[in-house]
Each structure stands twice: as structure tokens, then as C-alpha cells.
Amino acid sequence: MKIKKILLMDERKFYWAEKDLHTQFGVIKENKLKKAKPGKIKTHLNKEMLILEALSNDNMEKIKRGPAIMLPKDIGLILTLTSIDKNSIVLEAGAGSGFLTAFLARFCKKVYSYEKNPEFFKIVDFNLKNLDIKNVVLKNEDINKKIDEKNLDLIVLDLPEPWTSLKNVKKALKSSHYLVCYLPTIDQVQELLRNTNDFVNERVVELIYREWQTEPGRFRPKSQIIGHTGFLVFLRNL
């Protein structure tokens, strides 16, 4: 079920979709939440919370999880460095939980998503339906065997051995357009690059994400950061 409102209190975030909201700060009744506009709202214990309308990113935070997801810091770079737009037709393989799938669908005309694991396929299907995303064609298939689509504007592979798919990828991807591979280890990156003679290696990127504390008198980097999640390899089809 889609999240409709989010509530904030003491750096804590609460998600509301239906029924009464129960928190350690008190209870807020369903009818009160339905009528509430962005601003302030009080619990039955007279504790004041901030309330906002839920946006797509809020719903993305609550998707059903299966395998580890690609994080927004990495997804953002894919969206900005591959020249895709509202008219693009793209393909991904290794959909996992559908996190990247949903972001691609927000920016592109159509997404073809391949997930060969039946359990993960069901999770992606559930999440896409829950998010009411309709421009994704989800396939419980293996791209190592075949890719039905041609003239694609972008292909993203979140697979442990993407080099085994390069022959099919090359036939499906437009010339000069991007293949992006997401890989956890540098050994995988090296093996991929040893097999990419038919592609141009444009860049290999690792992103580190660090937030700051912003309380008065305590403006400093937070102690915890999101460090290594994976390498992004940007290749262009010859």
C-alpha cells in the first residue's frame, strides 16, 4: 500500500498509509491524518509532530526488500551521465528489488527489466504494482540466453558476471550509447574490462556519501558515512 503521509519528530520519520498511527510519542487517529495538511499535528499525548505529504521518494524507502538494492547515490550518477530522457527506451538486468527499475521508469519512456530469479521477480512485480508504475515490462528471463529488444538507449547490468552478456548487449544497444555495469569488487571490474574490446571504456567510478549534522553549534560531518557500495563502469557501444 502506498504511503500517503510522513511525520517527523526528533530526527525520526514515521510513514502513514491507513488506520491510526501509533508511535512512542502518542497516537494520531486516521480521520485526523486524512484531513491534515502539511504543517504541525498533535498526538493524543499533546506531542507536536511535523506532517508532510508523501512523495515518490518516501514510497521508495518502504518498498519490499529482497537482495541488496543499488543506492540513490549510484542511481543518480547513472541517470545524469548516460544522456537518457523522457523519450528513452532502456533495459536493466538483475532487477533485484526493483529500486533502480522504479527510478528508471520515472525518467524514461519505457523500461525492460530482466530478472531470472523467480523469487526476486515476484518482489519486483509486487513493488512496481504497489508504486503504480506502468511503463515497465518485467521479464522472468536470463539475458545471457537472449535479449528480445533492439535499438535501446541504455542498458544497466547489476549482475555478478556481466561480461558473459556482452554479446547480446552489443546487438541490443544503439551505437555510441551506454552500457553501465554495477560491480561490488575491483576484481569483477578488471575481468569486465578484459572483455570489452567492442566497447569504449569511458570511466570507472566509486561514490562516497557523507551527510552533515546541522544542529546549532554542532555543524560537522556525521561520524558515519556510506562508503563503498559498488563500482560503476560506464561503457559505450562502438
Side-chain angles (χ1 to χ4, degrees):
M1 182 170 291
K2 292 188 73 172
I3 304 300
K4 298 181 178 68
K5 304 285 176 79
I6 60 169
L7 294 97
L8 307 173
M9 177 73 166
D10 292 345
E11 297 187 350
R12 301 187 66 126
K13 190 174 184 179
F14 302 91
Y15 302 82
W16 177 77
E18 63 176 357
K19 301 182 180 179
D20 299 342
L21 178 68
H22 294 259
T23 77
Q24 63 267 50
F25 305 109
V27 178
I28 306 176
K29 293 292 185 179
E30 181 179 30
N31 61 348
K32 188 175 181 180
L33 287 162
K34 284 181 178 179
K35 297 175 183 177
K37 295 181 179 180
K40 295 178 180 179
I41 190 170
K42 289 186 177 181
T43 71
H44 83 291
L45 297 177
N46 208 37
K47 299 288 186 179
E48 197 169 69
M49 304 177 76
L50 295 175
I51 185 168
L52 297 168
E53 298 291 338
L55 302 179
S56 57
N57 283 5
D58 300 307
N59 275 279
M60 292 291 286
E61 292 174 2
K62 299 299 288 183
I63 66 169
K64 184 177 181 181
R65 300 294 180 93
I69 63 171
M70 191 183 299
L71 295 186
K73 70 181 182 69
D74 299 312
I75 292 173
L77 205 63
I78 294 173
L79 297 176
T80 54
L81 293 185
T82 56
S83 297
I84 55 174
D85 58 29
K86 64 181 180 180
N87 297 312
S88 298
I89 299 175
V90 307
L91 179 148
E92 64 155 2
S97 298
F99 199 71
L100 172 64
T101 321
F103 274 103
L104 289 171
R106 284 172 57 189
F107 285 85
C108 300
K109 181 178 180 179
K110 179 172 277 190
V111 179
Y112 293 95
S113 181
Y114 282 62
E115 176 52 68
K116 70 177 183 178
N117 184 304
E119 180 183 351
F120 299 162
F121 175 86
K122 291 178 182 178
I123 293 173
V124 180
D125 188 48
F126 173 86
N127 285 330
L128 293 176
K129 288 176 179 175
N130 190 54
L131 294 168
D132 197 29
I133 293 174
K134 303 183 184 302
N135 61 332
V136 174
V137 178
L138 183 60
K139 297 187 172 188
N140 188 196
E141 297 178 10
D142 183 355
I143 68 161
N144 280 324
K145 295 180 179 179
K146 66 172 182 175
I147 297 177
D148 296 317
E149 297 72 34
K150 305 299 178 187
N151 296 314
L152 296 167
D153 297 297
L154 168 68
I155 294 179
V156 182
L157 303 182
D158 187 359
L159 302 172
E161 298 180 344
W163 49 89
T164 62
S165 308
L166 293 180
K167 184 177 180 181
N168 288 341
V169 166
K170 183 164 184 61
K171 293 177 182 178
L173 183 63
K174 288 179 180 177
S175 176
S176 301
H177 285 240
Y178 284 91
L179 162 65
V180 180
C181 299
Y182 179 75
L183 296 165
T185 74
I186 198 63
D187 294 325
Q188 291 169 297
V189 173
Q190 290 173 325
E191 183 62 28
L192 172 64
L193 295 180
R194 279 194 285 266
N195 290 275
T196 54
N197 293 334
D198 293 330
F199 296 82
V200 176
N201 173 19
E202 185 169 277
R203 70 187 85 193
V204 177
V205 181
E206 176 192 33
L207 292 177
I208 307 299
Y209 179 91
R210 182 176 71 179
E211 290 188 359
W212 279 58
Q213 294 180 176
T214 56
E215 298 88 347
R218 297 183 61 202
F219 278 80
R220 60 180 296 276
K222 289 186 177 181
S223 300
Q224 292 184 330
I225 67 173
I226 301 177
H228 176 78
T229 50
F231 297 101
L232 289 170
V233 183
F234 291 81
L235 305 168
R236 297 180 71 168
N237 195 14
L238 287 170

